[in-house]
Amino acid sequence: QISWEPVFNLTFPFNTAKDPAFGILKYDTDGIPAIIGNTGLDAVTLAPIPLTNTVINNYANDTNFKSWSLFTLPNGMVSLGRYNQTNHYFPQPNNDGAKIELIKAAFKDGVNAGLQIVTKAGANPGENNKVFEGNTTQYFNVKNLLVPGTWSILGETVTDIFNDEFGNHGIIARGVPVERYDFTGYGAQIFSHWLNNNAEIAQVSQSIFDVWKGRVAKEIIQVRSIIYPWAIRVVRTITLYRSSTGFEYRVDSGWRADSDGVYDFRTRDEPTVNYVFHPGVVRGVYNVRNIVENNLAPYKRTWFKDYGVYVNDNDGTAQPVGAGVNLELELIPVYFDADVFIHDVDGTPPDVKGVPQGTYVASKKMLGYLQKAPKGVIISPEDFAAVINLQNGLGGPVDTTLNINGSGQKMRVSRVEVKSSVDETNKIVFVSAAAGMPVLPKDGSWSLVSHDKTSKEVHPITDTTVSLIRNGALGSYTPPHAKEITVPSELFKTPTDRLTQYGFLQNTDTQKILYRNPYFNVAENLLHSTMPDLGDAYRLLNSKGVFPNLDNLQTIDLDAKGCATKIIEQGYQMVDKAATNVLKSLEQNFDNNASFTFIDKPGILKVYVEYLKSDKDGNNLGAGSLNVDLNSQVNNWVNKMNDITMVVDLVDMKRLFMIGGKFDTQKGQAPEFKGPKLIPGKDLKPIIEILEVLEAIGTSNDYASLVKKGLQIAMSNSPNNWEYKFQADKEIPVLQFPPAYLDGPTTPLRLEASMKLGVYFNLAVPIPPDGLPGLSAGGFIEFGAKLSVMCVSLAAATVYAVGQVTLRISGDTVKGPGLYMKMGFGIELMVGIPVVGNVSVYYGVGIEISLDTKDITVGAFIVFRGRAELIGGLVTITIQIEASGKIHKELGSGRTDCIAQVTFSIDVSILFVIDIHDTEQWQEARQIA
């Protein structure tokens, strides 16, 4: 227990006109006046009794006579009282100022008590109590062994509020919150209950002292303030009292809520508040408790207030700011527990419109800011917003599930908070948000994403929560607004203008649909959004993220005017917009000129899709169509595109070939390009005609079935893999004349031909030394032919002259245009052995050339091949040896290598039993330049 007892201190008369010997007072840096100078006297000896009588008499009889007293109050308070016969609070002159009286008790037998000076405070009708002029300061003077003199008996915040009102502004009219102070030779006596019923924000509401002859019986200091952002009125009381044992005790009530937090910032002096709140689903906080200060991130600054009123430091009255006034502003963070009333809580009784009414949800360790200064007035909207932004929102955790606006859309809420925003007129407003994550259907690969309007990119959600808010100002009647999932700072922008736009994304493997800016109307079981965007298989090929960039070319707008997305217990259901109980799928035709280019390397390769049915010359044979359906009730979704054509331009060959068909994605089935059809362009006409001739004269198979069978299409757009790949290969197998069953060792002429063509995207390739991307896109066409002409025939043996060529033209985004050519000439000896079968031996030589923008290779080769067909072709054995020498040069670096290579291969085939293929290769490379 620590106690500072009041002691007697002589009052000093101050009258420069009549009694200059007392000197002149000045204010020291600590606000306490001191006597300076004198009128020639080196020293003044004071006699207490004559001096006391002089002070009392002169003060009572001369209104120009003033007195001061420096005295202590309990527990580290020091006051300087200025006694003035007139009063600041009334028109001058008057006699309602401070009173100084002398009490001298007399007893029989000539026994007299000591002198007792009684000082009574002047009236203060504004607060209905009395107050002395002067100054009172609570000192930070509690001794601590480790950090001496750094703590106040009242605590830091209460001390700061008390000193800001009575001790930090010099000698003021409202400087000592004491009604009466009696000086005696045995110690001071104080029985003062000073109350300020008007105290509201950062102000002292009680200053109570009970002191008996220098012994403190009781001290109570009570302050009031407010907690942002909810407008919780709080009070804190420090009580110090002496027990019957003589020890003094301290009781700190801590901050206690004096009201609920329902956004009511009105004060007695400013009944009209310059704040606009949009509370949304958060009505306010109730039963606030366990308020604890935390001084880690205070907010301080000097505020120039140029509107309304301020509380005058001199007398504590509210006055107009006039041309403006500087106020010191300070707020400190506090944590507290509360019950938050949240609307739309799932399971609570519905209102007349069918919207859940809501309930109280417990929250622990909510974050708010308590105002320490200025006193009596709330802070500006700009500072309020700055405080909120300092913590990126003020609020706390909760745990509940909402049924948003009674729509059936559920949202798990983990936090409520208040954030700042600006309305349509750019005025600062405050928005309460329920932060959490919407509950999306388990099936159909649904996720929540965000769209950055500036970059037009769509990203996965990086935050753990998103905000559910509503446009609707507190206290003003407006029609019920929709509740939206959006960023509070952008609530008042039109959805398509928001810089950050949240969206529900459905991933159907190779195609995706994005519902941006979801919102929910009152008691309407529908998912509303801006026009949905479709990222089809081809647009996803160019996407580096979860969805293509949202510009005019990268996505397809779904014309959903006739359809609506109904919210059901299992998820969503596509219905007729006019009759939401009727199921209806979204069907729309594409524009006649709708197309999208996803590979474009001028002069090398261009690949694009036309959303129509077209021929080899690009003539429109009919618009393509789209069909989208969604029904979570039966766990099904469909996303189909009919009559689309992919076109490939290779080098200078326009519309070299097309692939037409339908693209389907459907629940439970693998994504499929249905009915693909290869449409050769006019530049392929000569090759196609050769193949058709061979087919006509050399086989009994249907050529159309061969073409259909050879086309292979593969796409990879897994919802868990953001690398979208595409490959389409067409290989028309070798067509030969004569057919195999008519061929023999005496056939005079043989002709074989084949063709391959294809296009690919995002297929992995080795990363080049110069750091180009390791993903490549390209297209190619390859034609191969072989001609064998009989030279000599002797009995069962025949010698053929053989010529063979392979030509490949390609275009690649990494390697550029490319050409590959392989030509060879040789001699083949074929012998027909009765019963056993045909045996042939081939020997040939040739050249091989490969070039593109990165490399050039020139080589020569020799080939030896032996082939035996036994038992009428049931058993086939082929052995081949190829040796080559090549010169390979890198065009960029100039490096040149000499490459020697030998390849040995063997094939053994026994019909329906054995199929063996083995290849061994040896290669040696040496750099020669």
Side-chain angles (χ1 to χ4, degrees):
Q1 62 282 350
I2 305 170
S3 176
W4 289 263
E5 310 296 349
V7 298
F8 175 74
N9 193 307
L10 291 176
T11 59
F12 299 100
F14 173 41
N15 190 329
T16 58
K18 294 187 177 181
D19 202 349
F22 283 107
I24 298 185
L25 294 177
K26 73 165 187 177
Y27 296 130
D28 281 346
T29 55
D30 59 2
I32 299 176
I35 299 178
I36 62 169
N38 53 56
T39 57
L41 297 176
D42 294 331
V44 177
T45 301
L46 300 180
I49 294 177
L51 177 59
T52 300
N53 291 326
T54 300
V55 170
I56 300 299
N57 293 332
N58 282 300
Y59 187 83
N61 300 316
D62 187 352
T63 57
N64 291 321
F65 185 90
K66 311 299 178 188
S67 283
W68 302 81
S69 181
L70 179 65
F71 55 90
T72 61
L73 289 171
N75 300 300
M77 283 189 187
V78 176
S79 293
L80 175 66
R82 180 181 188 272
Y83 307 123
N84 194 347
Q85 296 92 334
T86 58
N87 195 310
H88 170 82
Y89 298 96
F90 292 98
Q92 305 289 342
N94 61 71
N95 58 359
D96 292 321
K99 305 292 189 298
I100 302 178
E101 300 173 354
L102 185 63
I103 297 177
K104 182 178 180 181
F107 303 93
K108 64 180 180 178
D109 301 327
V111 178
N112 296 322
L115 298 180
Q116 179 172 327
I117 302 175
V118 178
T119 60
K120 298 178 181 179
N124 180 358
E127 295 173 348
N128 212 12
N129 57 32
K130 297 182 178 182
V131 67
F132 286 105
E133 295 182 26
N135 177 284
T136 302
T137 302
Q138 170 68 55
Y139 280 91
F140 289 81
N141 60 348
V142 176
K143 302 301 180 183
N144 186 297
L145 293 177
L146 299 178
V147 189
T150 59
W151 193 69
S152 163
I153 195 71
L154 298 181
E156 180 179 357
T157 302
V158 176
T159 299
D160 288 344
I161 292 175
F162 184 92
N163 287 345
D164 185 60
E165 191 159 2
F166 301 110
N168 294 343
H169 308 289
I171 304 302
I172 56 177
R174 186 173 171 271
V176 184
V178 172
E179 296 181 304
R180 173 173 171 170
Y181 194 106
D182 292 3
F183 298 92
T184 77
Y186 306 101
Q189 293 190 143
I190 314 172
F191 297 95
S192 173
H193 288 201
W194 184 90
L195 305 176
N196 179 11
N197 295 327
N198 298 327
E200 292 185 276
I201 300 175
Q203 292 172 294
V204 178
S205 56
Q206 290 189 33
S207 176
I208 297 176
F209 301 101
D210 287 346
V211 179
W212 178 255
K213 292 185 178 180
R215 299 290 285 172
V216 178
K218 179 173 62 177
E219 174 187 355
I220 298 176
I221 301 296
Q222 185 182 84
V223 297
R224 294 181 178 274
S225 194
I226 194 169
I227 294 178
Y228 296 81
W230 312 100
I232 306 167
R233 311 297 172 127
V234 292
V235 58
R236 183 173 181 180
T237 306
I238 308 296
T239 303
L240 300 109
Y241 67 93
R242 190 179 303 278
S243 70
S244 60
T245 62
F247 290 103
E248 190 176 0
Y249 294 90
R250 178 184 185 271
V251 177
D252 185 348
S253 70
W255 290 105
R256 293 288 183 266
D258 207 25
S259 74
D260 296 320
V262 290
Y263 315 105
D264 186 1
F265 286 87
R266 294 175 296 175
T267 66
R268 181 178 65 92
D269 298 320
E270 290 185 316
T272 302
V273 178
N274 198 24
Y275 298 158
V276 177
F277 274 90
H278 292 256
V281 298
V282 185
R283 182 193 295 176
V285 295
Y286 300 80
N287 302 322
V288 179
R289 55 201 178 271
N290 300 332
I291 304 171
V292 179
E293 293 182 19
N294 184 313
N295 203 32
L296 293 179
Y299 180 81
K300 298 180 180 181
R301 83 174 192 92
T302 299
W303 171 30
F304 180 75
K305 188 177 186 187
D306 57 359
Y307 65 90
V309 300
Y310 75 104
V311 175
N312 184 275
D313 292 330
N314 183 52
D315 57 17
T317 60
Q319 299 180 13
V321 298
V325 62
N326 284 321
L327 301 176
E328 294 304 318
L329 190 151
E330 181 177 3
L331 293 93
I332 58 172
V334 293
Y335 288 105
F336 59 90
D337 302 338
D339 296 328
V340 186
F341 191 93
I342 306 176
H343 296 278
D344 296 4
V345 173
D346 191 30
T348 58
D351 60 16
V352 294
K353 296 180 180 178
V355 179
Q357 294 180 5
T359 188
Y360 296 97
V361 180
S363 177
K364 292 193 175 291
K365 208 172 182 181
M366 300 191 80
L367 177 62
Y369 268 75
L370 181 139
Q371 184 171 330
K372 285 178 65 175
K375 53 182 172 287
V377 294
I378 61 173
I379 63 178
S380 68
E382 291 77 13
D383 284 304
F384 192 177
V387 171
I388 289 176
N389 296 335
L390 184 65
Q391 298 286 354
N392 193 28
L394 295 177
V398 294
D399 185 9
T400 190
T401 299
L402 305 187
N403 179 356
I404 303 176
N405 244 349
S407 65
Q409 174 64 57
K410 305 297 177 64
M411 181 173 182
R412 295 189 183 96
V413 176
S414 58
R415 178 178 173 83
V416 294
E417 58 190 2
V418 175
K419 292 197 171 185
S420 65
S421 183
V422 291
D423 64 11
E424 301 88 339
T425 63
N426 210 34
K427 179 182 178 180
I428 293 176
V429 296
F430 303 97
V431 179
S432 294
M437 293 298 288
V439 179
L440 298 175
K442 296 180 181 179
D443 188 72
S445 295
W446 288 87
S447 60
L448 186 69
V449 296
S450 65
H451 167 231
D452 186 330
K453 182 175 175 60
T454 302
S455 66
K456 301 186 183 299
E457 294 179 352
V458 178
H459 304 281
I461 291 294
T462 56
D463 298 328
T464 56
T465 61
V466 294
S467 296
L468 176 69
I469 51 184
R470 185 188 66 188
N471 184 342
L474 179 70
S476 62
Y477 174 78
T478 55
H481 286 78
K483 292 177 178 136
E484 308 179 62
I485 296 177
T486 189
V487 178
S489 61
E490 301 195 282
L491 172 62
F492 303 92
K493 295 181 180 178
T494 57
T496 53
D497 289 336
R498 292 168 180 166
L499 298 181
T500 299
Q501 303 173 21
Y502 293 119
F504 293 174
L505 178 65
Q506 187 199 20
N507 189 331
T508 59
D509 288 342
T510 51
Q511 305 197 88
K512 299 182 179 182
I513 300 177
L514 177 62
Y515 299 83
R516 282 183 292 146
N517 304 302
Y519 65 94
F520 309 91
N521 289 330
V522 176
E524 190 176 81
N525 299 108
L526 296 176
L527 167 63
H528 295 278
S529 70
T530 51
M531 183 178 291
D533 302 289
L534 171 66
D536 68 329
Y538 303 102
R539 284 166 166 79
L540 290 176
L541 291 174
N542 271 358
S543 173
K544 301 302 181 184
V546 295
F547 198 77
N549 281 17
L550 293 180
D551 58 32
N552 294 331
L553 298 177
Q554 296 296 326
T555 61
I556 299 171
D557 290 333
L558 298 183
D559 185 6
K561 294 179 181 178
C563 296
T565 304
K566 185 177 181 180
I567 302 170
I568 59 177
E569 184 178 355
Q570 298 87 347
Y572 304 115
Q573 194 176 63
M574 200 157 283
V575 296
D576 192 316
K577 196 168 186 178
T580 56
N581 58 339
V582 177
L583 299 179
K584 180 179 180 180
S585 62
L586 186 154
E587 298 179 0
Q588 71 181 64
N589 293 328
F590 295 107
D591 295 335
N592 288 331
N593 59 350
S595 67
F596 175 70
T597 300
F598 53 93
I599 304 174
D600 191 4
K601 289 287 185 179
I604 300 176
L605 179 70
K606 181 178 180 181
V607 184
Y608 55 100
V609 60
E610 296 175 335
Y611 295 93
L612 49 83
K613 201 174 183 182
S614 61
D615 60 16
K616 62 183 179 180
D617 298 320
N619 297 317
N620 188 344
L621 303 180
S625 62
L626 174 69
N627 179 270
V628 176
D629 196 10
L630 179 63
N631 191 345
S632 298
Q633 186 172 16
V634 295
N635 195 16
N636 186 47
W637 47 260
V638 174
N639 194 331
K640 298 182 178 181
M641 302 181 72
N642 298 328
D643 298 328
I644 55 176
T645 304
M646 187 173 66
V647 185
V648 179
D649 297 348
L650 184 61
V651 192
D652 289 331
M653 295 178 285
K654 306 298 183 184
R655 303 184 75 85
L656 178 65
F657 63 90
M658 286 72 69
I659 300 174
K662 303 176 181 180
F663 203 96
D664 286 1
T665 57
Q666 187 170 349
K667 169 67 180 178
Q669 299 182 13
E672 182 181 4
F673 195 101
K674 289 189 175 181
K677 180 180 180 183
L678 178 70
I679 306 171
K682 59 183 180 180
D683 290 328
L684 291 180
K685 184 177 180 181
I687 300 176
I688 296 298
E689 289 176 347
I690 292 174
L691 295 175
E692 288 176 343
V693 170
L694 287 178
E695 186 275 333
I697 66 176
T699 71
S700 60
N701 295 327
D702 179 52
Y703 176 73
S705 63
L706 286 175
V707 171
K708 181 177 180 181
K709 183 178 180 181
L711 182 60
Q712 301 293 330
I713 293 180
M715 300 189 75
S716 173
N717 289 35
S718 168
N720 299 318
N721 182 1
W722 299 342
E723 292 184 0
Y724 306 104
K725 300 178 181 180
F726 176 89
Q727 182 174 3
D729 293 308
K730 172 65 183 175
E731 180 175 355
I732 298 177
V734 174
L735 300 176
Q736 63 183 41
F737 172 81
Y741 66 91
L742 295 177
D743 195 8
T746 59
T747 303
L749 179 129
R750 296 188 186 92
L751 179 63
E752 298 178 1
S754 65
M755 182 180 71
K756 295 180 182 179
L757 50 82
V759 62
Y760 56 88
F761 187 88
N762 269 5
L763 296 187
V765 298
I767 298 178
D770 56 2
L772 291 173
L775 292 176
S776 149
F780 65 89
I781 178 172
E782 180 180 308
F783 178 72
K786 179 181 178 182
L787 177 64
S788 300
V789 179
M790 181 189 295
C791 295
V792 178
S793 178
L794 182 62
T798 306
V799 178
Y800 290 91
V802 180
Q804 186 172 355
V805 64
T806 300
L807 181 65
R808 179 186 178 100
I809 300 173
S810 63
D812 188 276
T813 55
V814 173
K815 293 186 176 182
L819 173 67
Y820 173 80
M821 182 172 60
K822 186 175 183 180
M823 297 181 294
F825 178 78
I827 298 296
E828 183 177 17
L829 174 63
M830 179 174 285
V831 178
I833 303 175
V835 181
V836 175
N838 296 328
V839 177
S840 65
V841 178
Y842 171 76
Y843 173 81
V845 296
I847 61 171
E848 183 178 5
I849 300 173
S850 174
L851 60 91
D852 54 44
T853 58
K854 302 294 181 182
D855 308 276
I856 181 170
T857 303
V858 178
F861 64 89
I862 57 174
V863 179
F864 174 80
R865 181 175 65 243
R867 178 182 174 87
E869 294 182 358
L870 308 177
I871 318 176
L874 294 179
V875 179
T876 302
I877 302 174
T878 303
I879 299 175
Q880 177 170 305
I881 300 175
E882 179 176 346
S884 64
K886 302 177 184 178
I887 300 297
H888 173 78
K889 183 175 182 179
E890 296 178 359
L891 299 181
S893 64
R895 174 180 174 138
T896 304
D897 294 303
C898 180
I899 303 172
Q901 179 176 305
V902 176
T903 303
F904 171 80
S905 64
I906 182 171
D907 290 279
V908 178
S909 176
I910 301 176
L911 187 64
F912 303 126
V913 178
I914 296 176
D915 190 1
I916 300 174
H917 174 76
D918 185 42
T919 300
E920 299 292 337
Q921 187 178 81
W922 173 86
Q923 178 177 294
E924 181 74 18
R926 297 291 176 87
Q927 183 176 353
I928 60 176

